[in-house]
Amino acid sequence: MLSRLKRDLTMADVAREPGGDRLDLLLVADMVRHGAKVLDVGCGDGELLRILSERRGVDGRGIELSREGVNECVAKGLAVIQGDADTDLADYPDDAFDYVILSQTLQATRDPREVLRQMLRVGKRAIVSFPNFAHWQVRLRLVFGGRMPETPSLPYKWYDTPNIHLCSIDDFRALCRDMGVKPEFEVCALGDLWLIDDLCQKGLVDDPIMMTIFFGRPGGTWSPPTPEEFLHRTKHLPKGSHAMAS
């Protein structure tokens, strides 16, 4: 039970930068402006709040369902209270935060649609991240393994998982359309860049490395063709690679 709890709070198997910070959380932090007022919903052990404080200088608050997570956050000096995303967001006033963040938690909520609605009410902007159940690794394990897949972002057995509303990226896009919500920014392919970077570090890919960045590609990521978006994408390219846009 203790080992499972630690995995719940830290997601120890996901990709991390050399300094130890989770790469998915660094991507979330990149979307937050300096000095913003932030609410992290389902903040776990507080790693994202710490990153936001250190790198973005935010005024951060958090709510976390597990008492163990709350205790760990408080021990780190973070402003976190015990609360449930499904019920307690309703207690916050309108536009109380610049950003409300739900990181790797949407699939564990009882009513994802209502949670998203409350996030958009409480925050001027909402940032949501979740494991993509249509990722190629998940599809391959279902097709060739015939069992519910286990991945770094979905590390549980089918019978003890807290994830009750798994979805794909297209499922989430459809929910946003149904709610009249238009994403301002979307990132869903950088895991492939981390894979390429790892291959480069191991000397398995020869120079030069040529990359193509697609904007607004049908069936792919919705991304505005802006200088800011291009700079964000190229920031995460493997060192020494060359990129073109399409």
Side-chain angles (χ1 to χ4, degrees):
M1 183 65 179
L2 289 176
S3 61
R4 179 189 169 191
L5 174 61
K6 184 175 180 58
R7 200 171 194 181
D8 286 356
L9 297 178
T10 65
M11 292 183 65
D13 294 337
V14 301
R16 294 177 180 268
E17 70 164 9
D21 290 332
R22 276 171 46 188
L23 290 173
D24 64 311
L25 299 185
L26 295 177
L27 291 176
V28 171
D30 280 347
M31 301 180 193
V32 176
R33 67 172 173 81
H34 284 273
K37 190 173 183 181
V38 176
L39 177 64
D40 185 5
V41 181
C43 59
D45 65 347
E47 184 174 358
L48 177 57
L49 282 174
R50 176 189 59 78
I51 292 172
L52 288 169
S53 177
E54 293 176 355
R55 301 193 179 212
R56 313 300 283 180
V58 306
D59 176 8
R61 303 285 187 273
I63 62 173
E64 166 60 28
L65 183 61
S66 72
R67 182 173 297 277
E68 293 83 358
V70 174
N71 291 342
E72 190 166 349
C73 289
V74 172
K76 296 175 180 176
L78 301 172
V80 173
I81 61 173
Q82 189 168 20
D84 188 335
D86 279 295
T87 57
D88 294 334
L89 284 175
D91 296 332
Y92 288 88
D94 295 355
D95 294 328
F97 296 89
D98 297 310
Y99 300 87
V100 179
I101 300 173
L102 190 71
S103 174
Q104 303 293 329
T105 305
L106 180 70
Q107 71 281 357
T109 61
R110 291 188 297 276
D111 190 347
R113 183 187 181 100
E114 177 62 15
V115 170
L116 183 58
R117 188 186 73 82
Q118 290 291 348
M119 290 176 65
L120 292 166
R121 180 188 64 79
V122 173
K124 298 173 184 176
R125 285 182 170 86
I127 300 176
V128 181
S129 69
F130 54 89
N132 176 21
F133 200 66
H135 189 274
W136 64 268
Q137 290 183 343
V138 173
R139 297 187 190 197
L140 285 179
R141 294 184 189 195
L142 279 171
V143 170
F144 294 107
R147 300 176 63 182
M148 286 295 288
E150 295 176 41
T151 69
S153 58
L154 295 168
Y156 309 100
K157 301 291 185 183
W158 67 268
Y159 50 80
D160 67 355
T161 179
N163 300 317
I164 57 177
H165 286 115
L166 292 166
C167 67
S168 69
I169 293 171
D170 282 342
D171 287 328
F172 185 74
R173 290 185 183 129
L175 174 61
C176 289
R177 287 194 299 270
D178 290 346
M179 297 179 65
V181 176
K182 184 177 179 65
E184 292 183 3
F185 192 85
E186 185 175 314
V187 177
C188 65
L190 291 179
D192 295 332
L193 297 183
W194 301 331
L195 175 60
I196 294 172
D197 190 50
D198 183 61
L199 293 175
C200 293
Q201 292 180 21
K202 293 177 179 177
L204 299 177
V205 178
D206 295 328
D207 293 333
I209 303 168
M210 306 300 295
M211 310 284 293
T212 301
I213 302 174
F214 293 95
F215 294 93
R217 184 182 181 186
T221 303
W222 182 91
S223 299
T226 62
E228 293 80 10
E229 168 72 352
F230 179 79
L231 291 173
H232 181 83
R233 296 285 196 93
T234 54
K235 174 182 176 181
H236 297 282
L237 291 175
K239 185 178 180 180
S241 61
H242 306 278
M244 63 186 73
S246 175

